[in-house]
Amino acid sequence: MEFLLYLALGAAAGTLAGLFGVGGGTVIVPVLVYSFVAQGMDSSVLTHMAVGTSLATIIFTSINSVLEHHKKGAVLWSVAGWMSVGILLGAGLGALTADAIQGPWLQKLIGVFAIVIALQLALELKPKAAKPLPGKAGLGVVGTLVGWASAIFGIGGGSLNVPYLTWRSVPVQQAVATSAACGFPIAVAGAISFMWVGHGTPNLPEWSIGYVYLPALLGIALTSMPFARVGARLAHRLSPRLLKRLFALLLTVVGVSFLI
C-alpha cells in the first residue's frame, strides 16, 4: 500500500512540475511526512527524510520537464547556467542549515512556506516586469539564495524562480521553462548533500542513504518522469486558474496542519 501511495504521489508531483514549474516538492514533502509518521519512522529524522527524499525525486521529475520545455525552445540556457553556479553552493548550504534545525521546527517552517505559496497561487500574485536580468555575478548570487531556500524546503525552486524571472522581464512560459532547468542542479546538489549530512545519523530507517529513503524515491521516480511530460504539455495548452486555486486550498490545509 505504501508503494502504491508513492506511485500516485509521483504522478501528481510530475504533473505539477511540468505544469507550474514548482518541482513537485510542495506536494511531495507534506505527503511523505504523513506517510513516514504512519510508518512509525522516528520523529527526529522523518521531516529531514521527507525533504531529502523529495529533492532526490526532483532529479527525475526535472529531466523530463526540461526536455519538453526545451523542445519548445522556451529554456533560457545562459540564464539557467549562471544561476546554477550559485545553486550548487546554495543547495549544499541549505542542507547544512536544515540539518541544524530540529525536526518539529523544520516542519513548522515548511508549513509557513506552504501557506505563503498557497496565497501566491490563490491570489495570483505575480510581479510585473520591472527590470532586466542582472549580469552573470548577479544571477549567481540569486542562484545561491534560491538553492539555499530550496534545499531547506525540499523543492525544485520554481515557486521562487518563476516570480523572480517574471519580475526581471522574462515571459512567463520562458520563466517556467528556465526554472525547470534550474531544478535539476538544485535537486542533485541538495540530494547529495542530504545523503552526506544524514550519514550515520541515529534512528534512520532501513533502505535509506542518509536522509534519502530509497523505496519512496523509487516509487515516485517511476511515475513522476512520464507525468512531468504530461504537465509540460498542458502548460502550453491550458489556462490552469482553477487547478491553481484547488492546489492553493490543499497547500493551506497542509500548512495549517503542520503549524498546529
Side-chain angles (χ1 to χ4, degrees):
M1 284 298 294
E2 291 168 358
F3 193 71
L4 291 176
L5 170 64
Y6 299 143
L7 291 172
L9 178 55
T15 302
L16 290 169
L19 188 59
F20 300 133
V22 297
T26 46
V27 173
I28 294 173
V29 173
V31 175
L32 285 181
V33 167
Y34 294 134
S35 174
F36 293 163
V37 169
Q39 290 176 232
M41 193 177 292
D42 192 276
S43 61
S44 65
V45 299
L46 70 86
T47 306
H48 296 83
M49 294 289 295
V51 173
T53 304
S54 173
L55 288 166
T57 64
I58 292 169
I59 295 173
F60 302 96
T61 306
S62 62
I63 290 174
N64 285 278
S65 180
V66 172
L67 287 175
E68 285 297 317
H69 287 300
H70 176 67
K71 287 180 182 178
K72 299 180 184 299
V75 181
L76 300 178
W77 286 109
S78 61
V79 174
W82 285 107
M83 289 187 72
S84 295
V85 174
I87 281 169
L88 295 175
L89 172 63
L93 293 174
L96 290 171
T97 303
D99 187 48
I101 302 173
Q102 292 184 346
W105 283 104
L106 181 59
Q107 204 169 116
K108 291 183 184 302
L109 284 176
I110 294 170
V112 171
F113 181 76
I115 293 172
V116 170
I117 298 303
L119 289 173
Q120 178 191 356
L121 289 171
L123 301 177
E124 297 188 357
L125 300 176
K126 299 177 181 178
K128 295 181 180 179
K131 295 182 178 181
L133 284 167
K136 297 174 182 178
L139 289 173
V141 171
V142 172
T144 301
L145 295 173
V146 169
W148 176 76
S150 298
I152 293 173
F153 298 120
I155 61 172
S159 53
L160 305 173
N161 269 329
V162 174
Y164 173 76
L165 293 173
T166 303
W167 175 57
R168 288 292 188 167
S169 304
V170 176
V172 65
Q173 285 192 345
Q174 288 185 321
V176 170
T178 305
S179 172
C182 290
F184 181 76
I186 287 173
V188 171
I192 291 173
S193 297
F194 269 85
M195 290 178 183
W196 179 67
V197 300
H199 179 71
T201 300
N203 303 318
L204 291 178
E206 291 184 329
W207 303 106
S208 64
I209 302 176
Y211 288 135
V212 174
Y213 187 55
L214 296 180
L217 171 59
L218 175 62
I220 294 170
L222 285 173
T223 51
S224 66
M225 294 179 73
F227 276 89
R229 294 193 173 194
V230 173
R233 289 170 186 164
L234 290 174
H236 292 270
R237 297 179 184 177
L238 302 177
S239 175
R241 175 175 291 182
L242 176 60
L243 185 56
K244 281 187 178 181
R245 289 179 176 173
L246 291 173
F247 185 39
L249 178 61
L250 172 64
L251 287 179
T252 301
V253 172
V254 168
V256 170
S257 70
F258 275 19
L259 293 173
I260 294 176

